[in-house]
């Protein structure tokens, strides 16, 4: 299966093509094709996993892409344990999201289009995971960005959704610029963009430490954009304007996971460059703390989960920055399951009560028992409560940070764990317990249909048991995520596990006192610490900061250019008038033939060029095949000559 693993990615692409060209108006057929394709990809990923367990590789499958004299650019598949794990995670979460969308998107006028976008999104992420070169990674990286833009702004008739899509696209492109510069620097000094070749050069010390630091930081800029790390995190909360299944897919296993995946792929650089490693670790730690603090006071159920995602991604970056390859990727896997469950659970609630505001909910566990139970399970898992999945992966991160002696970062990580458990159970208690705060919404609420609750049950099972593959006592050492080889064989740090559990339980207990028992009045607490509360409620004023600096500067600069342009024209008119050169007929001639002529000439030139190109784009496959054949013949003749 590893040799033919490209089929795993191609199946969702085939689904996209079939829906767009043949079944764009057939709801049931379109959804059936999309779900079938991703389920087959999941089955094939399981087969590939068993092959990986038998032989961890890596396996490299190369394809010739661009070959000309003096230059070649192959594409390849790089299949190792990380690839296997990510394929499994993406296909599982994507399958659940596809099935869940049957109920959530039922009745939407663009139902087939939604499933075609889901298929294209899944293909993009699977292609990124399978890519064996930085060129292939960059191609699928940009395709992930495009499809996320299409899905976030899917309900484009809402200005908030279309603006959120544009904000996500522009913000992530800022990080992508760093990614592209990193690839250019890499090719200039290493003369390769292939994973294996580049890693060999690094291992043999054939690239200087300074160059590696520059490459590592530039590539990490791309990860900062995609994985919503400080300071490019502002797009992710607004991405909640898309349909909830999109939120689950983006936040759990695809787009935001791409940045962490890329950072894990450049681990060879991180372990060599201390500067790059500490940059990643401290940005991750700050992001984790900052996002968790904002989530403490948000009232939109999806925004709480959005900032939770940013915080958890910060955890992963922190782990990778200190050299915790196993712990970072392990938490990436477990987080995908419980975060997908949280978002789909939130979608189930929104589907029932038609509001995102948790202050308008309450008492819903009586009306929605399956949603409530599965949501509690995911909340316990993300809080790191024994023995759920999140406990084992978070403990790996704490152990990796402590083992490297970064005690300040360890304190931050443990503090964030307490904040996580508090805001998650604040969310649970306000949503599912107590008396209904909006009786009308409560009376009309009901449990979601089976095609929405069954995926919740599957993800709840994984939120409990998926992390058990990393139980240290089942293997040789502390860092013993079974899909990876790891050199450390240390005993688990029992006292650290106990401390992290106590901190998590303390956060839950504080949320219980404030939002269930009401023995502590949250309103009075907010009034007592009003400056801090307002600061957090306004999300550290990052949006206002960008609006007042970057965006305001762009507006100012464009205004200056406009005024400069108008000023030049006014000066020219005054100049010719002062010397008696201004004549109405002369000026009219100049305006018509020079000014208008230049503008109209540019338009005519564009129409002439596009008219010629239009003849090339016939839409007939046989014409395209002939052109490709002719190009191959010309290349052969060129090489022979």
């Amino acid at each position: 299966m590893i040799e033919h693993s490209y089929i795993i990615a191609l199946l969702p692409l085939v689904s996209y093509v079939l829906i767009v060209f043949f079944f764009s108006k057939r709801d049931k057929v379109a959804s059936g094709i999309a779900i079938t394709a991703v389920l087959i990809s999941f089955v094939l990923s399981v087969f590939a996993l068993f092959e990986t367990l038998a032989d961890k590789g890596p396996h490299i499958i190369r394809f010739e892409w661009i070959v000309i004299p003096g230059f070649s650019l192959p594409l390849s598949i790089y299949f190792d344990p990380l690839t296997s794990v990510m394929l499994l995670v993406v296909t599982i979460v994507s399958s659940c999201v596809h099935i869940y969308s049957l109920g959530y998107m039922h009745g939407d006028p663009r139902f087939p289009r939604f499933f075609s976008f889901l298929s294209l999104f899944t293909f993009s992420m699977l292609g990124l995971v399978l890519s064996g070169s930085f060129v292939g990674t960059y191609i699928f990286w940009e395709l992930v960005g495009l499809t996320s833009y299409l899905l976030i702004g899917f309900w484009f008739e809402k200005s908030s959704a279309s603006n959120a899509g544009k904000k996500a696209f522009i913000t992530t492109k800022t990080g992508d610029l760093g990614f592209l510069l990193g690839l250019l620097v890499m090719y200039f000094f290493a003369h390769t963009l292939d994973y294996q070749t580049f890693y060999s050069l690094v291992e043999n010390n054939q690239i200087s430490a300074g160059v590696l630091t520059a490459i590592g930081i530039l590539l990490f800029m791309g990860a900062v954009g995609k994985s919503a790390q400080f300071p490019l995190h502002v797009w992710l909360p607004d991405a909640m304007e898309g349909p909830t299944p999109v939120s689950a897919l983006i936040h759990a296993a695809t787009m935001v996971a791409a940045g962490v995946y890329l950072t894990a792929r450049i681990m060879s650089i991180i372990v060599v460059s201390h500067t790059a490693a500490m940059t990643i670790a401290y940005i991750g730690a700050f992001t984790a703390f900052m996002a968790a603090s904002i989530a403490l006071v948000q009232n939109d159920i999806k925004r709480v989960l959005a900032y939770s995602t940013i915080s958890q991604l910060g955890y992963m970056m922190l782990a990778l920055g200190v050299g915790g390859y196993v712990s970072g990727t392990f938490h990436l896997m477990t987080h995908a399951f419980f975060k997908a469950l949280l978002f789909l659970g939130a979608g189930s609630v929104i589907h029932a009560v038609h509001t995102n505001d948790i202050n308008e909910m309450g008492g819903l566990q009586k009306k929605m028992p399956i949603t409530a139970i599965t949501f509690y399970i995911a909340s316990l898992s993300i809080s790191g409560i024994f023995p759920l999945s999140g406990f084992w992966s978070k403990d790996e991160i704490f152990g990796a940070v402590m083992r490297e002696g970064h005690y300040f970062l360890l304190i931050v990580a443990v503090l964030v764990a307490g904040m996580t458990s508090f805001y998650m159970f604040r969310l649970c208690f306000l949503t599912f317990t107590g008396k209904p705060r909006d009786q009308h919404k409560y009376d009309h609420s009901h449990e979601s249909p089976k095609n929405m609750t069954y995926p919740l049950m599957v993800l709840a099972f994984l939120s409990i048991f998926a992390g058990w593959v990393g139980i240290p006592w089942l293997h040789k050492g502390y860092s013993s995520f079974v899909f990876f080889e790891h050199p450390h064989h240390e005993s688990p740090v029992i006292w650290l596990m106990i401390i992290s559990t106590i901190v998590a339980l303390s956060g839950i207990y504080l949320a219980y006192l404030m939002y269930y028992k009401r023995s502590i009045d949250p309103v009075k607490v907010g009034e007592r610490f009003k400056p801090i509360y307002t600061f957090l409620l306004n999300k550290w004023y990052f949006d206002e900061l960008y609006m007042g600096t970057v965006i305001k500067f762009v507006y100012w600069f464009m205004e200056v250019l406009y005024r400069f342009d108008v000023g030049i024209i006014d000066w020219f008119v005054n100049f010719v008038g002062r010397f008696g050169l201004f004549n109405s007929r002369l000026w009219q001639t100049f305006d018509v033939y020079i000014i208008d002529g230049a503008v109209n000439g540019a338009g005519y030139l564009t129409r002439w060029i596009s008219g010629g190109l239009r003849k090339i784009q016939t839409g007939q496959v046989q014409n395209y095949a002939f052109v490709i054949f002719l190009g191959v013949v010309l290349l052969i003749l060129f090489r022979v000559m």
Side-chain angles (χ1 to χ4, degrees):
M1 188 63 242
I2 290 177
E3 293 182 1
H4 303 286
S5 54
Y6 57 87
I7 298 175
I8 298 173
L10 285 179
L11 284 170
L13 178 61
V14 172
S15 166
Y16 168 76
V17 172
L18 290 175
I19 294 172
V20 169
F21 289 100
F22 301 103
F23 303 106
S24 59
K25 298 185 184 301
R26 304 277 300 275
D27 289 10
K28 291 185 178 180
V29 177
S31 58
I33 291 173
I35 293 171
T36 301
V38 74
L39 286 175
I40 296 175
S41 293
F42 162 66
V43 173
L44 297 181
S45 298
V46 173
F47 288 146
L49 171 67
F50 285 120
E51 288 186 30
T52 307
L53 291 175
D55 181 8
K56 289 183 169 57
H59 303 271
I60 295 94
I61 303 99
R62 298 186 184 277
F63 305 92
E64 294 298 335
W65 184 32
I66 299 176
V67 181
I68 58 177
F71 178 80
S72 65
L73 193 63
L75 291 180
S76 59
I77 291 175
Y78 189 87
F79 210 102
D80 65 351
L82 179 59
T83 306
S84 180
V85 170
M86 287 302 299
L87 286 178
L88 198 64
V89 168
V90 172
T91 53
I92 288 175
V93 174
S94 186
S95 298
C96 291
V97 168
H98 274 71
I99 296 170
Y100 179 93
S101 298
L102 287 173
Y104 193 89
M105 299 299 293
H106 178 71
D108 191 282
R110 295 188 292 273
F111 188 83
R113 178 188 289 189
F114 181 78
F115 276 89
S116 70
F117 287 169
L118 285 184
S119 294
L120 186 60
F121 202 133
T122 305
F123 160 71
S124 305
M125 189 61 196
L126 292 173
L128 189 151
V129 169
L130 286 168
S131 176
S133 70
F134 285 101
V135 172
T137 299
Y138 187 76
I139 292 171
F140 287 107
W141 184 273
E142 294 301 327
L143 193 54
V144 166
L146 170 64
T147 49
S148 68
Y149 165 77
L150 295 174
L151 285 168
I152 293 170
F154 183 76
W155 288 326
F156 55 82
E157 59 273 10
K158 293 168 48 183
S159 59
S160 57
S162 61
N163 290 337
K166 289 182 285 187
K167 185 176 182 179
F169 192 81
I170 294 171
T171 306
T172 55
K173 286 297 165 289
T174 304
D176 292 351
L177 176 62
F179 189 3
L180 179 59
L181 291 174
L183 296 185
L184 294 176
V185 173
M186 179 187 296
Y187 191 80
F188 182 81
F189 286 97
H191 306 294
T192 183
L193 294 173
D194 180 73
Y195 281 165
Q196 190 180 38
T197 307
F198 179 73
Y199 297 156
S200 298
L201 293 175
V202 174
E203 291 173 3
N204 295 324
N205 298 318
Q206 293 181 274
I207 304 176
S208 67
V211 172
L212 287 177
T213 298
I215 293 173
I217 293 177
L218 287 171
L219 294 181
F220 179 64
M221 283 179 62
V224 166
K226 278 288 191 290
S227 287
Q229 298 295 284
F230 169 83
L232 300 180
H233 64 280
V234 292
W235 68 268
L236 193 56
D238 288 7
M240 299 302 96
E241 293 295 335
T244 299
V246 173
S247 303
L249 198 58
I250 289 177
H251 285 246
T254 51
M255 184 169 177
V256 296
V260 178
Y261 176 79
L262 175 66
T263 308
R265 276 286 176 234
I266 62 172
M267 202 68 192
S268 298
I269 300 175
I270 295 173
V271 297
V272 172
S273 173
H274 179 75
T275 302
M278 289 299 96
T279 300
I280 294 170
Y282 276 90
I283 287 179
F286 177 78
T287 303
F289 175 80
M290 176 267 298
S293 67
I294 296 174
L296 295 174
V297 298
Q298 297 300 305
N299 296 315
D300 185 312
I301 186 171
K302 289 175 67 176
R303 285 187 180 270
V304 173
L305 299 180
Y307 281 105
S308 171
T309 299
I310 298 172
S311 181
Q312 296 299 306
L313 292 168
Y315 258 140
M316 300 171 206
M317 293 299 188
L318 167 60
L320 293 171
V322 300
Y325 175 79
V326 172
S327 56
T329 51
F330 185 19
H331 195 58
L332 176 62
M333 183 193 79
T334 60
H335 173 265
F337 299 134
F338 56 67
K339 185 51 62 68
L341 175 55
L342 288 169
F343 268 107
L344 296 185
S348 180
V349 171
I350 295 168
H351 186 263
V353 298
H354 304 290
T355 181
N356 289 28
D357 192 346
I358 56 178
N359 290 320
E360 297 179 13
M361 301 177 189
L364 290 177
Q365 66 184 13
K366 296 178 182 178
K367 290 290 193 79
M368 310 178 68
I370 297 176
T371 300
I373 293 171
T374 54
F375 203 94
Y376 280 126
I377 290 172
S379 299
L380 289 169
S381 188
I382 194 175
S383 299
I385 302 301
F386 177 87
L388 281 73
S389 295
F391 170 81
W392 304 107
S393 57
K394 274 193 177 182
D395 181 64
E396 288 276 5
I397 293 175
F398 296 157
V401 176
M402 191 197 70
R403 185 170 59 246
E404 296 300 322
H406 299 287
Y407 297 109
F408 172 74
L409 295 178
L410 178 62
I411 293 172
V412 173
V414 174
L415 177 61
V416 171
M419 297 163 70
T420 302
S421 60
F422 174 82
Y423 67 66
M424 282 310 308
F425 276 86
R426 169 182 177 265
L427 182 61
C428 288
F429 293 141
L430 287 176
T431 303
F432 296 108
T433 65
K435 296 180 180 180
R437 288 178 290 280
D438 189 316
Q439 193 64 42
H440 176 74
K441 289 184 172 61
Y442 176 80
D443 292 338
H444 288 81
S445 63
H446 53 82
E447 185 60 272
S448 299
K450 291 181 180 179
N451 52 20
M452 293 176 66
T453 55
Y454 283 167
L456 298 181
M457 296 177 192
V458 172
L459 291 170
F461 176 85
L462 293 170
S463 297
I464 297 172
F465 298 109
W468 289 22
V469 298
I471 295 178
W473 294 282
L474 298 181
H475 312 286
K476 294 180 180 180
Y478 178 55
S479 294
S480 53
F481 185 23
V482 296
F483 299 105
F484 302 96
E485 298 289 348
H486 200 274
H488 297 283
H489 299 289
E490 302 177 7
S491 299
V493 186
I494 302 296
W495 63 266
L496 187 57
M497 299 168 71
I498 294 173
I499 289 176
S500 65
T501 302
I502 292 173
V503 171
L505 291 174
S506 299
I508 296 174
Y509 183 65
L510 180 59
Y512 169 80
L513 293 177
M514 293 179 67
Y515 298 100
Y516 186 84
K517 288 284 289 184
R518 297 284 177 173
S519 55
I520 300 176
D521 189 349
V523 176
K524 291 182 178 180
V525 173
E527 291 176 351
R528 183 173 182 180
F529 301 98
K530 190 172 183 178
I532 298 176
Y533 176 80
T534 304
F535 180 70
L536 298 180
L537 188 63
N538 287 281
K539 302 163 288 187
W540 287 41
Y541 293 100
F542 278 112
D543 286 322
E544 290 80 2
L545 177 64
Y546 284 129
M547 185 62 71
T549 54
V550 178
I551 298 175
K552 190 174 182 178
F553 171 78
V554 171
Y555 284 155
W556 171 82
F557 185 69
M558 298 307 296
E559 180 70 17
V560 168
L561 289 180
Y562 171 75
R563 292 184 179 277
F564 178 77
D565 186 39
V566 172
I568 288 293
I569 295 175
D570 290 343
W571 175 84
F572 179 75
V573 172
N574 293 331
F575 176 80
V576 296
R578 181 179 301 175
F579 290 93
L581 300 177
F582 186 80
N583 180 278
S584 59
R585 183 174 297 178
L586 177 65
W587 180 251
Q588 184 179 12
T589 303
F590 178 81
D591 182 48
V592 171
Y593 291 100
I594 304 300
I595 303 298
D596 290 347
V599 175
N600 294 333
Y604 292 142
L605 179 63
T606 303
R607 291 177 61 184
W608 178 75
I609 294 174
S610 61
L613 293 175
R614 190 183 301 120
K615 296 177 182 179
I616 300 174
Q617 297 291 337
T618 63
Q620 298 179 355
V621 177
Q622 60 268 28
N623 290 356
Y624 299 155
F626 173 74
V627 172
I628 294 171
F629 174 75
L630 183 62
V632 171
V633 171
L634 291 175
L635 283 175
I636 293 173
L637 291 175
F638 179 78
R639 294 193 66 178
V640 170
M641 294 174 63

